[in-house]
Amino acid sequence: TMTTIPIDTTGAITDSGTLTITGTTTLNAGATAVTLDEAASAFTGAVSLTGSNASVLNTLATVLGVSTLTGNLGVTSTAGAVTNTGKLAVTGTTTVNAGAGNNITLGTATNTFGGALALIGDDVTVAATGAVKLGVITTAGDLAVTPTGAVTNTGALTIAGTTTVSAGANDVTLGTAANAFTGAVATTGKNVTVLATGAVNLGATTATGNFAVTSTGAITDSGNLTVTGTTTLNAGATAITLDQA
């Protein structure tokens, strides 16, 4: 058991024993990888990582501090939420698994994600500077994404709660046909595109360009739709009902 663990090296950092750290963990592997994959390790304080690829397995809630990675980031919390208190700058993919009962809150506005985000949790929140690519995401609760750039998705979004995506003056393209939205989908952007399997309930939507929704189920609305350009809705053989006053 250690209070803090600062390590700075030019080589890879790995573990072969259980790490129990009550304070902060700061690991700098330069241009090489950080791999903390011991199943019983417990990190209480913030974990800050510098390197190429980094992976962390934690039996507690995970707090991510300032981290800069030229490759991929992988985080698995087996018994707690995942949050971040410092900027995450990840050039590759970001994969976070907090389980079905725990939240993921990557809420630092200066986060930058070069690759796709693959996330599993209860309520999932992502803030970022620049564009955000959503990979395979599964939530038992809500999904909220707020970047300063465009939002796209390359993997299926399976969202049990509401989906809120705000891209400011940039496009929102949730263009994977296997997306499944149980709750309302509320979007803000320029051109907004939503594809889905099953029904789609449109929440409050603002598109300063065009708005397009294609689903295999009915399309309804539960929020006001404000669309400057064209609106194109395709519900296949099912109904379209836009009756918000």
Side-chain angles (χ1 to χ4, degrees), residues 24 35 46 90 121 125 127 153 180 186 193 204 211 218 235:
T24 59
T35 307
V90 183
T125 301
N153 88 294
T193 302
F211 182 48

Side-chain angles (χ1 to χ4, degrees), residues 87-90 108-115 117 126-134 145-152 165-172:
K87 175 182 176 179
L88 305 179
V90 183
T108 300
T110 53
N111 292 335
T112 57
F113 301 105
L117 285 84
V126 177
T129 295
V132 168
K133 302 180 186 73
L134 302 175
V145 182
T146 308
T148 62
V151 177
T152 58
V165 178
S166 178
N170 304 290
D171 291 346
V172 175

Side-chain angles (χ1 to χ4, degrees), residues 2-234:
M2 298 183 67
T3 302
T4 61
I5 178 172
I7 296 177
D8 195 336
T9 180
T10 58
I13 299 173
T14 60
D15 59 352
S16 58
T18 298
L19 304 178
T20 305
I21 314 299
T22 57
T24 59
T25 299
T26 304
L27 305 178
N28 186 342
T32 58
V34 178
T35 307
L36 306 180
D37 57 4
E38 281 295 305
S41 289
F43 303 98
T44 302
V47 179
S48 298
L49 307 166
T50 301
S52 56
N53 300 315
S55 60
V56 177
L57 179 59
N58 190 11
T59 56
L60 304 174
T62 301
V63 180
L64 298 172
V66 175
S67 297
T68 302
L69 302 170
T70 58
N72 304 324
L73 171 64
V75 179
T76 301
S77 273
T78 60
V82 177
T83 58
N84 82 297
T85 58
K87 175 182 176 179
L88 305 179
V90 183
T91 303
T93 61
T94 299
T95 304
V96 179
N97 187 345
N102 303 299
N103 296 337
I104 298 172
T105 307
L106 307 181
T108 300
T110 53
N111 292 335
T112 57
F113 301 105
L117 285 84
L119 311 169
I120 299 174
D122 192 1
D123 293 328
V124 172
T125 301
V126 177
T129 295
V132 168
K133 302 180 186 73
L134 302 175
V136 176
I137 295 179
T138 301
T139 75
D142 302 331
L143 171 65
V145 182
T146 308
T148 62
V151 177
T152 58
N153 88 294
T154 58
L157 308 179
T158 304
I159 313 301
T162 60
T163 299
T164 304
V165 178
S166 178
N170 304 290
D171 291 346
V172 175
T173 308
L174 306 182
T176 300
N179 292 335
F181 304 105
T182 301
V185 180
T187 53
T188 301
K190 187 179 180 182
N191 298 307
V192 175
T193 302
V194 178
L195 270 63
T197 295
V200 173
N201 175 9
L202 300 173
T205 299
T206 300
T208 58
N210 301 325
F211 182 48
V213 180
T214 302
S215 69
T216 61
I219 298 174
T220 58
D221 60 350
S222 58
N224 293 328
L225 309 180
T226 305
V227 181
T228 303
T230 62
T231 299
T232 305
L233 306 179
N234 184 345

